[in-house]
Amino acid sequence: MTTTDERLQATAQIARHPLHPMLVPVPIVCFIGALLTDITYYASAEMMWADFSAWLLVVGVIVGVLAACAGLIDFLSSRSIRAQAPAWPHMLGNVLVLVLSFFNALIHTRDAWTSVVPAGLILSAIVVLILPITGWLGWSMVYRHGVGVLR
């Protein structure tokens, strides 16, 4: 019989360190940075800031997809992880963040003002408002439920 600790271990790991929590800070920082550079572009109309936003979104989506793959492997590999109350809202919220950020990256491929205002700025703000919720749910899975914690 498997102990609870073993059933809550991350499957996607390197040297017994879970991949998902190692990858998630990159897209979080990129998406927050995209909002800040969108705001700066809105205030200054300096195209450099819109370019920064576009690059931050692309990097955030790429690394976010990698983090999502690692998280999905953990999620699908353990019924015990899926049974945790925050697991489904955490996963669905982060999928929403990635979908919105992907479309935001497409919007940021437009030229000049329309690459950010208003749709890009609104999507960046919505994503940054969702991130604390999904982050808190992920924190809860680790620190309250012991998911991925070595014992």
Side-chain angles (χ1 to χ4, degrees), residues 6 35 50-51 62 79 93 98 106 120 126 135 137 139-140 145:
E6 290 171 355
L35 174 62
D51 292 341
I62 291 170
R79 188 179 314 235
L98 282 177
L106 293 178
I126 291 169
L137 291 167
W139 174 90
S140 175
H145 301 279

mmCIF file of all heavy atoms in Angstrom, residues 6 35 50-51 62 79 93 98 106 120 126 135 137 139-140 145:
data_model
loop_
_atom_site.group_PDB
_atom_site.id
_atom_site.type_symbol
_atom_site.label_atom_id
_atom_site.label_comp_id
_atom_site.label_asym_id
_atom_site.label_seq_id
_atom_site.Cartn_x
_atom_site.Cartn_y
_atom_site.Cartn_z
ATOM 1 N N GLU A 6 3.727 9.526 -0.728
ATOM 2 C CA GLU A 6 4.172 9.047 -2.033
ATOM 3 C C GLU A 6 3.134 9.342 -3.114
ATOM 4 O O GLU A 6 3.479 9.623 -4.248
ATOM 5 C CB GLU A 6 4.477 7.546 -1.969
ATOM 6 C CG GLU A 6 5.711 7.233 -1.154
ATOM 7 C CD GLU A 6 5.875 5.740 -0.905
ATOM 8 O OE1 GLU A 6 4.975 4.974 -1.290
ATOM 9 O OE2 GLU A 6 6.888 5.367 -0.317
ATOM 10 N N LEU A 35 2.113 43.643 -18.459
ATOM 11 C CA LEU A 35 1.158 44.660 -18.021
ATOM 12 C C LEU A 35 1.872 45.988 -17.755
ATOM 13 O O LEU A 35 1.405 47.054 -18.185
ATOM 14 C CB LEU A 35 0.404 44.207 -16.769
ATOM 15 C CG LEU A 35 -0.526 45.270 -16.155
ATOM 16 C CD1 LEU A 35 -1.620 45.672 -17.145
ATOM 17 C CD2 LEU A 35 -1.117 44.783 -14.853
ATOM 18 N N ALA A 50 5.834 48.686 -26.363
ATOM 19 C CA ALA A 50 4.937 47.696 -26.980
ATOM 20 C C ALA A 50 5.740 46.478 -27.435
ATOM 21 O O ALA A 50 5.277 45.342 -27.320
ATOM 22 C CB ALA A 50 4.184 48.321 -28.148
ATOM 23 N N ASP A 51 6.947 46.722 -27.955
ATOM 24 C CA ASP A 51 7.819 45.607 -28.355
ATOM 25 C C ASP A 51 8.219 44.765 -27.145
ATOM 26 O O ASP A 51 8.231 43.536 -27.213
ATOM 27 C CB ASP A 51 9.071 46.130 -29.061
ATOM 28 C CG ASP A 51 8.777 46.752 -30.410
ATOM 29 O OD1 ASP A 51 7.702 46.476 -30.979
ATOM 30 O OD2 ASP A 51 9.632 47.528 -30.889
ATOM 31 N N ILE A 62 5.500 30.592 -23.900
ATOM 32 C CA ILE A 62 6.342 29.406 -24.160
ATOM 33 C C ILE A 62 6.697 28.697 -22.860
ATOM 34 O O ILE A 62 6.498 27.488 -22.723
ATOM 35 C CB ILE A 62 7.607 29.786 -24.958
ATOM 36 C CG1 ILE A 62 7.220 30.180 -26.387
ATOM 37 C CG2 ILE A 62 8.612 28.635 -24.970
ATOM 38 C CD1 ILE A 62 8.347 30.805 -27.188
ATOM 39 N N ARG A 79 -4.247 10.328 -8.768
ATOM 40 C CA ARG A 79 -5.634 10.564 -8.357
ATOM 41 C C ARG A 79 -5.669 11.356 -7.050
ATOM 42 O O ARG A 79 -6.568 12.152 -6.820
ATOM 43 C CB ARG A 79 -6.336 9.220 -8.190
ATOM 44 C CG ARG A 79 -7.809 9.321 -7.961
ATOM 45 C CD ARG A 79 -8.423 7.952 -7.833
ATOM 46 N NE ARG A 79 -7.935 7.068 -8.886
ATOM 47 C CZ ARG A 79 -8.703 6.408 -9.728
ATOM 48 N NH1 ARG A 79 -9.992 6.510 -9.622
ATOM 49 N NH2 ARG A 79 -8.196 5.630 -10.642
ATOM 50 N N GLY A 93 -7.696 27.727 -13.947
ATOM 51 C CA GLY A 93 -7.295 29.137 -13.920
ATOM 52 C C GLY A 93 -6.027 29.385 -14.711
ATOM 53 O O GLY A 93 -5.914 30.379 -15.440
ATOM 54 N N LEU A 98 -3.096 31.080 -19.763
ATOM 55 C CA LEU A 98 -2.330 30.797 -20.978
ATOM 56 C C LEU A 98 -3.120 31.116 -22.246
ATOM 57 O O LEU A 98 -2.560 31.661 -23.201
ATOM 58 C CB LEU A 98 -1.872 29.335 -20.993
ATOM 59 C CG LEU A 98 -0.683 29.016 -20.113
ATOM 60 C CD1 LEU A 98 -0.385 27.517 -20.156
ATOM 61 C CD2 LEU A 98 0.534 29.807 -20.520
ATOM 62 N N LEU A 106 -0.980 37.491 -29.798
ATOM 63 C CA LEU A 106 -1.420 37.720 -31.179
ATOM 64 C C LEU A 106 -1.831 39.177 -31.383
ATOM 65 O O LEU A 106 -1.501 39.787 -32.407
ATOM 66 C CB LEU A 106 -2.572 36.788 -31.538
ATOM 67 C CG LEU A 106 -2.253 35.298 -31.604
ATOM 68 C CD1 LEU A 106 -3.513 34.500 -31.933
ATOM 69 C CD2 LEU A 106 -1.157 35.011 -32.610
ATOM 70 N N GLY A 120 -5.040 44.769 -25.792
ATOM 71 C CA GLY A 120 -3.835 44.216 -25.182
ATOM 72 C C GLY A 120 -3.701 44.601 -23.722
ATOM 73 O O GLY A 120 -3.361 43.776 -22.867
ATOM 74 N N ILE A 126 -6.359 41.568 -17.021
ATOM 75 C CA ILE A 126 -7.162 40.411 -16.595
ATOM 76 C C ILE A 126 -6.252 39.263 -16.161
ATOM 77 O O ILE A 126 -6.477 38.636 -15.124
ATOM 78 C CB ILE A 126 -8.124 39.967 -17.717
ATOM 79 C CG1 ILE A 126 -9.209 41.014 -17.922
ATOM 80 C CG2 ILE A 126 -8.742 38.602 -17.402
ATOM 81 C CD1 ILE A 126 -10.049 40.795 -19.169
ATOM 82 N N GLY A 135 -2.105 31.417 -8.097
ATOM 83 C CA GLY A 135 -0.898 31.276 -7.263
ATOM 84 C C GLY A 135 -1.240 30.854 -5.849
ATOM 85 O O GLY A 135 -0.572 29.989 -5.272
ATOM 86 N N LEU A 137 -3.908 29.219 -4.954
ATOM 87 C CA LEU A 137 -4.367 27.828 -5.017
ATOM 88 C C LEU A 137 -3.180 26.867 -5.111
ATOM 89 O O LEU A 137 -3.175 25.811 -4.470
ATOM 90 C CB LEU A 137 -5.312 27.633 -6.210
ATOM 91 C CG LEU A 137 -6.671 28.319 -6.098
ATOM 92 C CD1 LEU A 137 -7.378 28.330 -7.444
ATOM 93 C CD2 LEU A 137 -7.520 27.662 -5.027
ATOM 94 N N TRP A 139 -0.109 27.508 -4.023
ATOM 95 C CA TRP A 139 0.530 27.580 -2.704
ATOM 96 C C TRP A 139 -0.212 26.677 -1.732
ATOM 97 O O TRP A 139 0.401 25.942 -0.949
ATOM 98 C CB TRP A 139 0.517 29.025 -2.211
ATOM 99 C CG TRP A 139 1.016 29.195 -0.818
ATOM 100 C CD1 TRP A 139 2.296 29.431 -0.427
ATOM 101 C CD2 TRP A 139 0.233 29.120 0.388
ATOM 102 N NE1 TRP A 139 2.363 29.513 0.942
ATOM 103 C CE2 TRP A 139 1.110 29.326 1.471
ATOM 104 C CE3 TRP A 139 -1.108 28.900 0.655
ATOM 105 C CZ2 TRP A 139 0.682 29.320 2.784
ATOM 106 C CZ3 TRP A 139 -1.534 28.889 1.968
ATOM 107 C CH2 TRP A 139 -0.643 29.103 3.018
ATOM 108 N N SER A 140 -1.532 26.724 -1.779
ATOM 109 C CA SER A 140 -2.355 25.908 -0.897
ATOM 110 C C SER A 140 -2.112 24.421 -1.121
ATOM 111 O O SER A 140 -2.056 23.639 -0.160
ATOM 112 C CB SER A 140 -3.828 26.247 -1.140
ATOM 113 O OG SER A 140 -4.654 25.407 -0.396
ATOM 114 N N HIS A 145 -1.686 21.004 1.630
ATOM 115 C CA HIS A 145 -1.993 19.617 1.280
ATOM 116 C C HIS A 145 -0.742 18.774 1.064
ATOM 117 O O HIS A 145 -0.853 17.559 0.890
ATOM 118 C CB HIS A 145 -2.890 19.584 0.023
ATOM 119 C CG HIS A 145 -4.178 20.317 0.222
ATOM 120 N ND1 HIS A 145 -5.260 19.761 0.860
ATOM 121 C CD2 HIS A 145 -4.554 21.573 -0.134
ATOM 122 C CE1 HIS A 145 -6.253 20.649 0.895
ATOM 123 N NE2 HIS A 145 -5.846 21.745 0.299
#
